[in-house]
Amino acid sequence: MTKRTIIWIVGILFLFSASVVSAQMTGRQVMEKQKERHKVKTEIGNEDMMLVDKSGAKENRQVVRYAKEVGKDLHRYLVVFLSPGDIRGTALRTWEKKGGDNDQWLYLPAQKKEQRIAKAGKKNYFMGTDFTYEDMEPEDLNNFNYNILRSEQFNHEGKSYDSYVIEALPANEKKKQESGYAKRIMWIEKANLTTLKTDFYDKRNKHQKTQLNYKFETVSGSVMRPKQTIMNNMEKGHKTVTATRSRQVNTNISDTTFTEQFILSGKHLQ
Amino acid sequence: MKKSCLYKSLAILLFVCLLCPPFLWGQTDYKFQEDDLLKEMDKAAPKSSEPKGQEDDLLKEMDKAGEAAPQDQKGKEKVAQAEAKQQTELSKLVDNFHGSLRLRGMHFWQNPPVREGADTRNDFGNALFKFSDKMNYKDFTLNVGGWVEYGNEENTYSGTSFSEFWQDMDRRRRILDISDLYINYSRETFNFLIGKKTLTNGMSTLYLPSDRMRPQDLNDPLDVKDLNLWQARMDYDVAEATTLTAAFLPVYQPQKTPSETSRWMGERKQGDTEFDLYDAGNANMREDVPKFSDTNFGYFARFKKKGFHGWDLFASFYHGPNPFYVVREEQVAGPIPGTTQPQRIKEVVKVDDYAAGFSTTYESWEFHGEVVYNYSYDRKDDDYFNYVGGFTYTFDDFAKKLWLEKIDFTLEYANEIITRVQNAETYVSSSKKSRLGRNDILSRINFEYSDKLSFQFVCNFQVDQIDYGRFQRLEAKYKFRDGLISKLAAEFFGGQSDSLYGRWQKNDRLILEFEYSF
């Protein structure tokens, strides 16, 4: 009788502990859920961009971004600058590749041709913004280890959000060398799995920049996107503010949008 | 007692004076540290991310800026409807109008070689206004682009004559030129273009041997302008990122060369049998430029595949007039009746160009290469391979140690292999000296300090033992504000006196330019 009771107690404790473990998601699972929840087939966003330097001088830019999922977790991206005049028509194409380096091409109108970019260049800032080429690439979950550091109440836009604080570390030596960051720390709210804030740490583990996302809105089903973003680069004393003016998701975008021919025929500026 | 009290008071005062300042300093230090620590704590473990102060202002400013823009998140239709209501054809033309104004000044610090009639001034300037516009109707787009330019260089500008609109035979640069005039018909899988536009080819970075269908205005050989070609062209996407291009080029457009009085002509070299585009010694030669006729049409075809397992590849074919002249000699009637004298004629001969090239990336490197094989009909010119290979390496971590954003280093080597020399009756000189990339090392280093300030060094060393020459350019570029850029550059030339760069050895110059784009 006593033996049976002990077995029952051990069994119940085992089941209970197992259920507790399953309730505690890993960092990787949170990221997978986030990716799944906010995934769209296609997206076109028109953005205004403001660059603010140390002295407070401002530059305004207009950008249009295209994105399309062409296979399972395989995306293509196109970013086009519409203004100011000196960079009008500049375009960056990215093709995500599984198990290899992504293909990236930069089109500069003065050269009238595209140039393939090596990955070392991806640590560099894109066209004077505080976003590097790496920041503009899709998040490949296999390239990072995600650890939940803690849960906390995060005050954002006058509200308190129950959030995961997740650390993203390069998963392997190759990625460690390629990446411009030693780590990133993300504040992801639990209810909607939106990233409210990301801190970027440089190779010396120094806090380099912070990205804050504001005014989240539902764009389709459970998919949410921020309307405004600030990337504050403490290292350079420089900020990039973006505001989305219009966004279309899950509309029909042709695969040809992500080709060189789309740019050379001038369609990217139409 | 009083004295001792006074001494005590003075001693206490001295003690206070001696000890307190360090104490106060220490306190101040402590306060600073505390402040820094608090700030750092704030940064390290922020519990709040309210947009405060400047950031809040920035977000509000972005909000205001966006009020004028069409607000729509629900679908394409609303945007299209709103635009259709708001935009008339005229307002579309105004919206699509873009341009730039450039003011450029140059100072040469050596006098040009002494030559009869040569322009001996050392200071030049010009103003250039470039413009472009377009109009859409369904799948059709009409594109127009050109420039207006004027400067104080002698015999360089030719007014606004449109008499040679189809084939510009004037050596001089037009003050007003419509360089782009074409209609695009675009569908999902193809793009059809008819009109005048540049036709680029190749995947190399600094020197592109296959980029030959691109006549240029070389009045200032280092500030060239594309003259563009009349063409009917179809770009057809046969598969993913795989494009087949076929172009018909009915009009041969000759390059424009500097005036005979220009310092870019260098010194005359009498009795030289070879010549090149800039050879003033042959200025009395007649030119035989292919006119508009079915025998002078050009045809171009290209296969291009991008992103093929990390490789970009192309192969192309061109049949038509060669951009490089050859020289033939004819006997013409002399000044005395019954006598003859030799007359040299610059001739454009017909060639086939077969080209192929690639670009790929590995780790931090971008590699590229191109080769073109030039076959000349009736052996009127040399048959040869012209090739280039090179790489671009981007330094980032190293650049940051030098307080730079990045350093891009590009290095290329180009050469040619002649497989069959010119051998046709009455033809006395091949295009050899006009051709580029014959044993050349080319390099470019970009130093980017910030988005606003960057430096560039470009060089081309012709390492040929006979035609050796060198060109170096140092440039500083500064961005004042949106669209407004200034450049300060110095150019240096040297080498054997009739090589491409050697003939300009007295043309070292300083250039200052301001350009505003809108």
Side-chain angles (χ1 to χ4, degrees), chain A residues 111-164:
Chain A
Q111 291 179 6
K112 295 177 182 169
K113 70 188 191 79
E114 267 192 348
Q115 197 73 48
R116 183 177 262 274
I117 304 171
K119 66 184 172 194
K122 292 174 188 175
K123 291 176 195 170
N124 298 308
Y125 294 105
F126 178 57
M127 303 299 293
T129 67
D130 294 290
F131 297 93
T132 62
Y133 289 90
E134 183 184 359
D135 298 338
M136 298 171 76
E137 283 190 347
E139 178 102 18
D140 187 345
L141 302 184
N142 294 323
N143 275 332
F144 296 93
N145 290 325
Y146 300 94
N147 307 312
I148 298 180
L149 299 178
R150 58 186 180 272
S151 287
E152 70 177 30
Q153 288 297 317
F154 186 68
N155 294 323
H156 191 69
E157 297 184 275
K159 286 182 197 166
S160 181
Y161 293 96
D162 189 13
S163 306
Y164 295 110

Side-chain angles (χ1 to χ4, degrees), chain A residues 28-68:
Chain A
R28 165 87 185 197
Q29 285 167 331
V30 173
M31 295 305 292
E32 278 172 354
K33 273 202 156 188
Q34 186 194 45
K35 197 164 189 177
E36 198 54 43
R37 177 172 177 155
H38 298 294
K39 196 161 87 171
V40 288
K41 285 282 172 204
T42 65
E43 186 165 349
I44 305 174
N46 281 288
E47 289 176 8
D48 284 350
M49 223 180 231
M50 188 198 284
L51 314 183
V52 188
D53 71 11
K54 266 183 209 168
S55 63
K58 291 164 191 162
E59 279 181 43
N60 293 302
R61 294 175 175 193
Q62 272 187 303
V63 175
V64 57
R65 292 174 193 265
Y66 301 84
K68 183 174 185 177

Side-chain angles (χ1 to χ4, degrees), chain B residues 179-191:
Chain B
S179 53
D180 284 300
L181 181 64
Y182 61 93
I183 292 170
N184 252 344
Y185 176 62
S186 280
R187 297 304 300 264
E188 169 101 22
T189 55
F190 71 86
N191 184 70

